[in-house]
């Protein structure tokens, strides 16, 4: 099975552009045609565990994670690894791909695991600067790796390699050291070798910087724009990923936002209204999840603006709660409102969701549109008018 998966992933990674149907959850990529496979491609950010859970809510049958990452946040890597282990998932590094640093924790957590590219390990960097915190970190790491049946030589290499260097194992070394671990797998491999239409270029160090100090990311891999949660007492930074999808022959605009510090995820979809009984040009659906700190009772309005320091202009419409953590906002089409809403949505850079929380306080979730998202918005809105 591993060889069949390898053929599908490598063929797609080297030769195919990003498929319009691919779904992105932070650095995770899933082709809905193959809902048992996912790829982690890119740095492991602090919100990766939330992205991972969002992905599994959308694709609960994923059981193989292919890895192509230079590492990233250690805590996030360990949390991901524990999730992979607890769920009995399998991990894989394709030929010409690499999995370094914090990514190695995720790979080593696999129930079945195979290296055909490169696996790299080293010490965790410690910012605290005291012996106690170092000992605690090492203890946590050893406890975690102990659950994963990691060969002792690999753990030794990890602890002996300084944070600014890396020990790399190729496929032959991984097999010789017993890093690979395969049992009989119940699932069958997809026959189509175009299983994952990925856009990353194998063998490129995702964490490398160019001569101008600009961090390189794989081409075609969408990068998030900024999101902010503004409460009455503080503000919290986050990220938003923009994309489009097709529903019933109409294109819809999608925003997926995460505010990690507040454990808040939101998915917003703008759809063309096809219900003749509803006096609306379009309908926004807003689904919140993971809000253990902030719980939303009502969407009081939707604003647009360019300057974050201004109040914003309200879109014309009405909102309603339609389910647990689910809301709609219908944008009016009466008396010229459709033109006004269309202009404001396509022209302004930021979209604000005005939130009323269950504790009675107010908050503002700001979704920033990057240049590509602004173009997509205009294209989607124009397609509705055809």
């Amino acid at each position: 099975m591993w060889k069949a998966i390898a053929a599908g992933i490598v063929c797609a990674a080297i030769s195919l552009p990003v498929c319009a149907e691919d779904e992105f959850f932070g650095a995770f990529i899933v082709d809905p045609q193959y809902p048992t496979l996912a790829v982690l491609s890119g740095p492991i950010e602090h919100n990766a565990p939330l992205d991972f859970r969002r992905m599994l809510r959308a694709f609960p049958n994923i059981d193989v994670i292919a890895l192509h990452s230079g590492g990233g946040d250690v805590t996030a890597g360990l949390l991901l690894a524990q999730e992979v282990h607890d769920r009995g998932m399998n991990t894989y590094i394709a030929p010409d791909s690499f999995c370094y640093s914090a990514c190695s924790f995720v790979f080593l957590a696999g129930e079945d695991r195979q290296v055909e590219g490169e696996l790299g390990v080293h010490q965790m960097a410690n910012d605290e600067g005291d012996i106690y915190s170092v000992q605690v970190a090492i203890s946590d790491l050893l406890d975690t790796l102990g659950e994963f049946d990691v060969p002792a030589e690999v753990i030794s290499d990890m602890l002996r390699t300084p944070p600014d260097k890396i020990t790399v194992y190729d496929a032959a070394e991984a097999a010789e050291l017993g890093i690979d671990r395969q049992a009989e797998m119940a699932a069958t491999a997809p026959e189509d070798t175009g299983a994952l239409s990925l856009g990353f270029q194998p063998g490129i160090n995702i964490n490398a910087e160019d001569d101008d100090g600009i961090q390189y990311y794989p081409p075609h891999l969408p990068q998030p724009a900024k999101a902010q949660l503004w409460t009455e007492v503080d503000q919290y930074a986050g990220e938003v990923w923009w994309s489009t999808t097709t529903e019933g022959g109409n294109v819809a605009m999608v925003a997926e936002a995460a505010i990690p510090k507040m454990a808040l995820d939101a998915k917003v979809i703008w759809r063309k209204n096809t219900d003749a009984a509803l006096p609306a040009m379009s309908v926004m659906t807003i689904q919140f999840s993971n809000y253990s700190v902030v719980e939303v009772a009502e969407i009081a309005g939707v604003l647009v603006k360019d300057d974050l320091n201004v109040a914003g202009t309200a879109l014309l419409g009405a909102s309603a709660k339609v389910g647990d953590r689910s809301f709609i906002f219908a944008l009016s089409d009466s008396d010229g409102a459709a033109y006004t809403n269309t202009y404001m949505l396509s022209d302004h850079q930021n979209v604000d969701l005005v939130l009323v929380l269950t504790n009675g306080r107010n908050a503002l979730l700001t979704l920033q549109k990057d240049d590509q998202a602004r173009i997509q918005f205009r294209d989607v809105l124009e397609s509705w008018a055809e």
Side-chain angles (χ1 to χ4, degrees), residues 167-179:
T167 296
V168 176
Y169 309 108
D170 60 20
E173 292 166 326
E176 183 178 349
L177 287 170
I179 295 173

Side-chain angles (χ1 to χ4, degrees), residues 28-315:
F28 293 95
I29 309 172
V30 181
D31 182 339
Q33 295 183 79
Y34 300 92
T36 63
L37 302 172
V39 172
L40 170 60
S41 177
I44 297 175
E45 305 285 1
H46 60 276
N47 59 322
L50 291 177
D51 295 329
F52 183 78
R53 291 176 184 175
R54 288 193 301 118
M55 176 185 71
L56 290 179
R57 286 198 297 272
F59 297 94
N61 295 322
I62 289 173
D63 62 3
V64 176
I65 307 293
L67 301 161
H68 182 73
S69 172
D73 187 280
V74 169
T75 301
L78 288 172
L79 289 173
L80 282 176
Q82 197 64 58
E83 288 266 15
V84 167
H85 172 74
D86 291 347
R87 295 172 185 270
M89 292 179 163
N90 309 303
T91 54
Y92 175 65
I93 307 171
D96 298 318
S97 288
F98 54 84
C99 175
Y100 298 155
S101 191
C103 177
S104 69
F105 307 152
V106 183
F107 171 78
L108 293 168
E111 181 170 328
D112 287 6
R113 58 197 187 214
Q114 183 171 2
V115 178
E116 291 196 334
E118 291 185 347
L119 175 70
V121 301
H122 61 184
Q123 295 174 9
M124 294 184 293
N126 178 257
D127 297 327
E128 301 296 329
D130 63 274
I131 295 177
Y132 174 75
S133 64
V134 173
Q135 291 175 331
V136 170
I138 292 175
S139 176
D140 290 342
L141 177 62
L142 292 177
D143 285 346
T144 301
L145 296 180
E147 294 184 58
F148 302 163
D149 189 27
V150 179
E153 186 171 344
V154 176
I155 296 177
S156 178
D157 286 342
M158 185 179 295
L159 297 177
R160 292 175 182 273
T161 305
D164 60 343
K165 300 185 183 302
I166 194 152
T167 296
V168 176
Y169 309 108
D170 60 20
E173 292 166 326
E176 183 178 349
L177 287 170
I179 295 173
D180 289 350
R181 183 174 63 183
Q182 297 184 56
E184 193 65 31
M185 297 174 64
T188 59
E191 295 180 3
D192 184 353
T193 59
L196 294 173
S197 50
L198 309 180
F200 65 78
Q201 299 296 313
I204 296 175
N205 187 341
I206 295 172
N207 289 334
E209 294 185 349
D210 65 15
D211 294 338
D212 296 322
I214 300 173
Q215 191 169 32
Y216 175 82
Y217 288 95
H220 312 302
L221 187 64
Q223 297 306 311
K226 293 180 181 179
Q228 292 269 15
L229 180 69
W230 310 77
T231 69
E232 295 177 4
V233 296
D234 211 341
Q235 65 185 62
Y236 304 91
E239 295 172 326
V240 56
W241 291 262
W242 296 94
S243 61
T244 59
T245 187
T246 302
E247 301 177 343
N250 291 312
V251 182
M253 194 73 192
V254 182
E256 295 182 82
I259 309 293
K261 192 170 183 180
M262 300 300 283
L264 176 68
D265 288 353
K267 184 173 184 177
V268 184
I269 304 178
W270 284 264
R271 297 179 172 92
K272 180 180 181 179
N273 178 39
T274 56
D275 184 354
L278 182 65
M281 62 164 270
S282 62
V283 176
M284 296 169 54
T285 61
I286 304 105
Q287 176 71 52
F288 293 98
S289 60
N290 284 338
Y291 48 32
S292 57
V293 181
V294 176
E295 187 158 351
V296 180
E298 179 187 348
I299 304 292
V302 179
L303 311 174
V304 292
K305 61 190 180 185
D306 289 321
D307 187 345
L308 292 177
N309 297 314
V310 302
T313 303
L315 297 178

